[in-house]
Amino acid sequence: MSAHAAPTKRLTLRDLDAKKHSAEPIVMVTAYDFPSAQIVEEAGVDLVLVGDSAAMTVLGYDSTVPVTTDEMLMLTKAVRRGLEKPLLVGDLPFGSYEASDELALATAQRFIKEAGVDLIKIERGGTTVDRARALVNAGIPVVGHVGLTPQTAISLGGYRAQGRTAEAALAVIDDALALQDAGVSVLVIEAVPSEVTAALAPLLRIPLIGIGAGADADGQVLVFHDLLGIYAGGAAKFVKRYADVRGVSVAGVAAYAEEVRGGVYPGVEHGYAMPESEAARLRELLAAR
């Protein structure tokens, strides 16, 4: 940014509410480091989530459960440095907020003070509603998350769609409404039949962001590595690949390796040269030893 350029106006929660009420879809995506933050910034998204999906996509764990608060803070701080306009959401990892309101508040405050997040995301209904209310009462904007909640996927029967029966769908809707009543600012709904989202959306005053939940939400979120084809793991049914970054990257590194082994790289154009007088002087100095 030049010295005379106007600063970029960061989006606000009021902007999200305006998008909802004008039926302008909200775009949310995950990011986990400085380069990915710069990419999503330039692409013009509205919300950026440093999700605990980082556990699998960038840290190599087999689920979201093992990732620690310190690991999530490191990634979130890197993303903060690459963002200007989008709102930044920090995802509290498993074990960092469930036990008590005090624990939830202490962890959330770290994400705000150390990583500069705009909102905190927590999963599930149930006791999480109490945690959400405590955070909101402390002045911390919260994103709720219902439906498939990866941190508790084992208790939900694994990574599978939720709300497939009328009773199960009603439970998801009740969790969502309880979180809204607790004061959350945004709600994510994941991996539910589209009929559940269609039934829930008219009941909400707050923006509803879907992931594998149909087209009736106010916006959509996808994982950066999934939509760009970076992550080698299997993608969920709802993921659409918009690029094959992994394939292009493998091909690029393979071409580099082939050129190194074949003596093609580096060429003369990739190196630096001394003035001939200095090269001659160096030869003289070496010869004099």
Side-chain angles (χ1 to χ4, degrees):
M1 184 181 294
S2 70
H4 302 290
T8 300
K9 179 181 178 295
R10 186 177 297 181
L11 288 173
T12 67
L13 290 173
R14 183 173 294 181
D15 294 323
L16 296 187
D17 288 336
K19 287 177 183 288
K20 172 184 174 63
H21 294 297
S22 64
E24 179 185 347
I26 298 167
V27 180
M28 184 176 186
V29 70
T30 67
Y32 309 108
D33 57 20
F34 181 74
S36 61
Q38 290 185 307
I39 289 169
V40 300
E41 167 81 36
E42 189 170 343
V45 306
D46 303 309
L47 281 163
V48 177
L49 167 66
V50 186
D52 60 5
S53 48
M56 296 179 287
T57 57
V58 300
L59 297 178
Y61 295 120
D62 60 2
S63 76
T64 63
V65 171
V67 70
T68 67
T69 296
D70 286 339
E71 287 171 325
M72 289 299 300
L73 280 168
M74 177 192 67
L75 300 175
T76 307
K77 287 188 281 187
V79 172
R80 174 79 279 167
R81 290 190 285 268
L83 290 185
E84 292 187 37
K85 186 174 181 179
L87 286 163
L88 178 60
V89 182
D91 204 1
L92 300 195
F94 179 77
S96 71
Y97 63 92
E98 299 92 335
S100 67
D101 292 347
E102 291 75 19
L103 177 62
L105 185 58
T107 306
Q109 287 171 336
R110 288 193 66 191
F111 274 78
I112 293 170
K113 294 178 68 173
E114 298 178 31
V117 303
D118 300 301
L119 302 101
I120 294 296
K121 188 174 85 65
I122 54 180
E123 290 189 3
R124 297 183 306 110
T127 56
T128 295
V129 175
D130 297 328
R131 308 295 169 256
R133 184 176 291 108
L135 294 177
V136 172
N137 287 342
I140 298 173
V142 175
V143 177
H145 185 161
V146 298
L148 173 60
T149 48
Q151 292 178 5
T152 53
I154 292 177
S155 66
L156 297 174
Y159 290 90
R160 59 178 64 184
Q162 302 298 303
R164 287 184 175 272
T165 68
E167 290 77 11
L170 188 60
V172 172
I173 291 171
D174 284 344
D175 281 344
L177 294 176
L179 286 165
Q180 176 175 253
D181 290 344
V184 303
S185 299
V186 180
L187 191 69
V188 171
I189 185 167
E190 180 172 354
V192 300
S194 57
E195 293 87 351
V196 180
T197 304
L200 172 62
L203 305 177
L204 294 178
R205 303 179 303 274
I206 59 176
L208 178 64
I209 309 297
I211 175 169
D216 287 292
D218 300 304
Q220 300 293 326
V221 59
L222 279 178
V223 170
F224 183 85
H225 288 59
D226 285 342
L227 74 92
L228 291 181
I230 299 173
Y231 182 45
K237 177 182 179 180
F238 54 77
V239 172
K240 180 176 179 179
R241 302 278 196 193
Y242 288 85
D244 181 22
V245 172
R246 179 179 174 83
V248 172
S249 300
V250 171
V253 175
Y256 158 71
E258 182 179 358
E259 288 200 356
V260 169
R261 291 173 179 139
V264 176
Y265 178 84
V268 174
E269 68 274 22
H270 302 116
Y272 303 95
M274 296 175 70
E276 178 52 37
S277 60
E278 293 300 323
R281 175 64 176 156
L282 177 59
R283 290 191 291 271
E284 290 175 3
L285 290 172
L286 289 171
R289 286 190 170 186

